[in-house]
Amino acid sequence: MIMNIQNHTHPTSDMIEKFKTLIGDEHVITDSKDMSQYLTEWRDLYQGKASCILLPGSTQDVSHILSYAHEMNIAIVPQGGNTGLVGGQIPFESGHEVIINLSRMNSIRNIDTAGNTMTVEAGAILQNIQDAADNAERLFPLSLAAEGSCQIGGNLATNAGGVGVLAYGNARNLVLGLEVVLADGQIWNGLRALTKDNTGYNLKDLFIGSEGTLGIITTAVLKLFPKPAEQSTAFLGAQSLQDVAHLFSLASQIAGHQLTAFELLPRVGIEMVTKHIQEARDPLETPQPWYVLLEISSGQATGNASELTEKILETALENNYIHDGALALTISQAKDFWRLREAMSEVQREEGGSIKHDISVPIARIPEFIKRANDAVETMIPGSRPVPFGHYGDGNIHYNVSQPTAMDKSAFLAQWDMMAEAVHSIVLDLEGSISAEHGIGRMKKDLLKDVKSPVELDLMQSIKKTFDPKGILNPGKLI
Ligand code: FAD
């Protein structure tokens, strides 16, 4: 038996045969060509190796795999849609780990329109869940640009955010119950569909956001919401971030909880999208340094959402908070506005290297954060092109920096840690978080000690040891 440095077993061919007997030959991938799609992520930032990929078809399968892996001390990497941005779903380079990919467990088991809940398996694709809710005249409000391929298990394991957080909260707020397979193969059935349940420690909330380090989520009971009867979407141009801050206060005051999205986009980002995506158009006639994608929703189709949006636009124009704006008159126009926002990440790939920071600060401090971070980045690498965009309404900015046009990509990316240190020190100074929604994974593991107190780190370590004493679940990630 070959052991790696963490004392986990490098699976032998007999062990891989055993996995085949547990879940079926055809659900164990060992061919290196077939494995490759599971071993790298879309930006090619992390590439790993694995002994094999396991594709369980049921909770019992997951339980049998973990029970055996626990006995044999085999390290496991849980994987969903492989869209995570911090490398948590990719194994290390040693090749001794085994990936459990949940894709086959993708059924939507039940929709309860009286209780407004939906029970889904972990491998269900987020977009399919949204569509199923929509077909039942309900809304599942978790929404992010990767929704066509990310899975609900991955969303919950990362406590995903996205564009609906302002109105509905992040993934944690959208779950009533969970079923989880523990490190030793035991199944915890916490599939309760209760809004109120004060019976001790909330285990569900511990698993959500644990990035596959405490257990494998296999099923979830999700909350559904009334489907908005009417939505009004506007694309607004502002001269400064201070004006965006005024606009946010104004929109919150006028629309209250009906303000369901308030997304920030910079001019440089719009230029990248219109350059690289053929059908994308700048909706405004005059270029503006900053844009806001604003959405107002209403439960009734009485024109209330459009009235509120028009009132926000009028008042914002009167006060010079915005200098130009467009209201979507059709669903297709609203989709075009959203396409500009959703393409913001992918187009940065076309512009060479991009150093990414997923941060949050108190909302009132966003303008100060962006100004200070831009200054720091420009001093460090003159000509860098910051593309700060994202969920202004919940304080979460994706502070991405594209390389200077004339610089070598790898030379730029080599500065990642140095730039992250500078940006994160501004974030901490402003009492923010170095990971607002993407998690810790591999990328930010070493930073945890700088942002958590020894007390908090000790508690986290104790929790990990209790749930996974042999450390077989996603070792080397998060903690
Ligand atoms: P994976 O990437 O496969 O895994 C992510 C983590 O969860 C890993 O640590 C993995 O081990 C663990 N995991 C996966 N499934 C399970 C399971 N069943 N049980 C236990 N652990 C599991 N994220 C946001 O929060 N907000 C955004 O707005 C957003 N936008 C994005 C836009 C783009 C274009 C892309 C590519 C990504 C974006 N992300 C965003 C990041 C990513 O989509 C989310 O983190 C998503 O929740 C990951 O889901 P996944 O199924 O792909 O999980």
Side-chain angles (χ1 to χ4, degrees):
M1 228 182 260
I2 306 163
M3 302 290 235
N4 84 326
I5 43 164
Q6 287 173 309
N7 292 330
H8 291 126
T9 309
H10 195 130
T12 59
S13 50
D14 283 353
M15 291 174 187
I16 293 173
E17 285 307 309
K18 173 73 180 179
F19 285 131
K20 289 182 181 170
T21 63
L22 291 176
I23 64 168
D25 271 25
E26 64 280 31
H27 305 309
V28 178
I29 304 176
T30 49
D31 179 81
S32 57
K33 222 167 77 201
D34 296 339
M35 283 206 282
S36 61
Q37 62 167 304
Y38 302 93
L39 299 175
T40 184
E41 39 89 90
W42 69 294
R43 298 159 306 173
D44 277 341
L45 214 53
Y46 297 100
Q47 283 136 12
K49 290 191 181 135
S51 299
C52 58
I53 318 290
L54 306 181
L55 302 170
S58 68
T59 301
Q60 287 304 329
D61 278 359
V62 178
S63 168
H64 291 145
I65 294 167
L66 281 186
S67 166
Y68 182 65
H70 189 257
E71 186 191 334
M72 293 296 152
N73 200 25
I74 296 171
I76 296 290
V77 179
Q79 190 181 73
N82 191 8
T83 68
L85 295 174
V86 289
Q89 73 282 16
I90 301 293
F92 286 95
E93 293 70 22
S94 66
H96 74 279
E97 291 172 292
V98 165
I99 292 179
I100 297 186
N101 182 290
L102 278 293
S103 305
R104 284 181 65 226
M105 293 178 60
N106 57 14
S107 79
I108 293 174
R109 282 197 199 150
N110 158 45
I111 298 182
D112 172 1
T113 49
N116 281 319
T117 65
M118 181 194 263
T119 306
V120 296
E121 288 185 342
I125 301 281
L126 176 57
Q127 197 163 48
N128 295 343
I129 292 174
Q130 295 165 346
D131 290 347
D134 191 64
N135 290 338
E137 292 302 315
R138 297 291 184 275
L139 173 76
F140 183 63
L142 186 65
S143 175
L144 41 127
E147 63 201 22
S149 39
C150 63
Q151 301 175 3
I152 193 68
N155 299 145
L156 302 184
T158 55
N159 187 25
V163 294
V165 174
L166 179 60
Y168 300 97
N170 46 24
R172 181 172 277 123
N173 298 91
L174 306 175
V175 184
L176 292 173
L178 281 187
E179 176 189 74
V180 179
V181 178
L182 307 180
D184 62 1
Q186 287 189 80
I187 300 169
W188 173 59
N189 184 338
L191 286 176
R192 300 168 192 129
L194 303 172
T195 305
K196 288 189 154 186
D197 177 20
N198 280 347
T199 51
Y201 303 138
N202 193 329
L203 298 180
K204 158 178 77 75
D205 278 353
L206 258 184
F207 289 112
I208 297 172
S210 67
E211 300 183 36
T213 62
L214 298 183
I216 298 192
I217 297 168
T218 44
T219 314
V221 181
L222 306 175
K223 284 188 206 170
L224 299 179
F225 296 79
K227 200 164 132 177
E230 186 183 273
Q231 277 184 321
S232 171
T233 313
F235 193 82
L236 310 174
Q239 289 285 303
S240 71
L241 282 168
Q242 217 48 57
D243 287 339
V244 172
H246 291 310
L247 177 65
F248 179 64
S249 295
L250 178 77
S252 309
Q253 235 173 6
I254 292 178
H257 66 274
Q258 287 182 253
L259 177 63
T260 43
F262 192 98
E263 296 287 309
L264 178 75
L265 304 103
R267 177 70 203 162
V268 61
I270 293 296
E271 280 168 7
M272 288 178 182
V273 176
T274 49
K275 178 174 158 198
H276 296 294
I277 299 203
Q278 219 181 4
E279 66 281 8
R281 298 272 171 277
D282 179 351
L284 305 189
E285 274 176 19
T286 49
Q288 304 288 325
W290 297 99
Y291 300 91
V292 167
L293 179 57
L294 175 144
E295 183 189 79
I296 308 280
S297 303
S298 171
Q300 276 150 19
T302 54
N304 166 264
S306 316
E307 278 167 24
L308 289 174
T309 313
E310 280 161 24
K311 192 167 172 205
I312 292 167
L313 249 77
E314 271 170 31
T315 321
L317 280 166
E318 271 166 31
N319 287 287
N320 283 325
Y321 299 158
I322 57 171
H323 285 254
D324 201 353
L327 255 176
L329 300 175
T330 60
I331 291 176
S332 141
Q333 272 176 355
K335 279 192 178 152
D336 288 346
F337 291 176
W338 274 108
R339 180 76 182 115
L340 295 170
R341 163 64 186 87
E342 281 157 5
M344 203 58 40
S345 282
E346 69 191 68
V347 292
Q348 284 164 47
R349 240 167 36 149
E350 310 295 328
E351 293 283 325
S354 168
I355 299 181
K356 299 179 193 306
H357 312 88
D358 163 41
I359 66 92
S360 63
V361 292
I363 294 173
R365 308 193 86 171
I366 292 176
E368 182 187 350
F369 162 71
I370 293 180
K371 158 112 192 38
R372 284 175 62 182
N374 284 355
D375 290 348
V377 161
E378 177 58 27
T379 307
M380 193 175 290
I381 308 176
S384 291
R385 294 169 296 158
V387 191
F389 71 99
H391 320 300
Y392 190 102
D394 57 44
N396 174 195
I397 298 297
H398 298 305
Y399 188 76
N400 294 359
V401 183
S402 283
Q403 66 171 80
T405 38
M407 191 171 177
D408 173 64
K409 180 177 171 181
S410 42
F412 177 73
L413 291 179
Q415 309 296 316
W416 190 303
D417 289 347
M418 200 176 69
M419 188 179 288
E421 200 182 322
V423 171
H424 290 157
S425 76
I426 299 166
V427 169
L428 295 178
D429 193 41
L430 296 174
E431 298 177 335
S433 167
I434 61 156
S435 185
E437 61 177 11
H438 296 159
I440 296 295
R442 284 167 76 162
M443 184 185 273
K444 296 182 181 172
K445 181 176 164 273
D446 292 340
L447 303 178
L448 216 54
K449 63 179 182 334
D450 303 329
V451 298
K452 300 274 183 199
S453 68
V455 173
E456 204 169 350
L457 281 174
D458 264 5
L459 284 170
M460 286 173 73
Q461 291 284 7
S462 311
I463 290 166
K464 171 72 179 167
K465 274 191 200 122
T466 302
F467 279 80
D468 180 20
K470 289 189 169 182
I472 62 164
L473 287 174
N474 229 354
K477 315 281 176 52
L478 176 56
I479 189 145

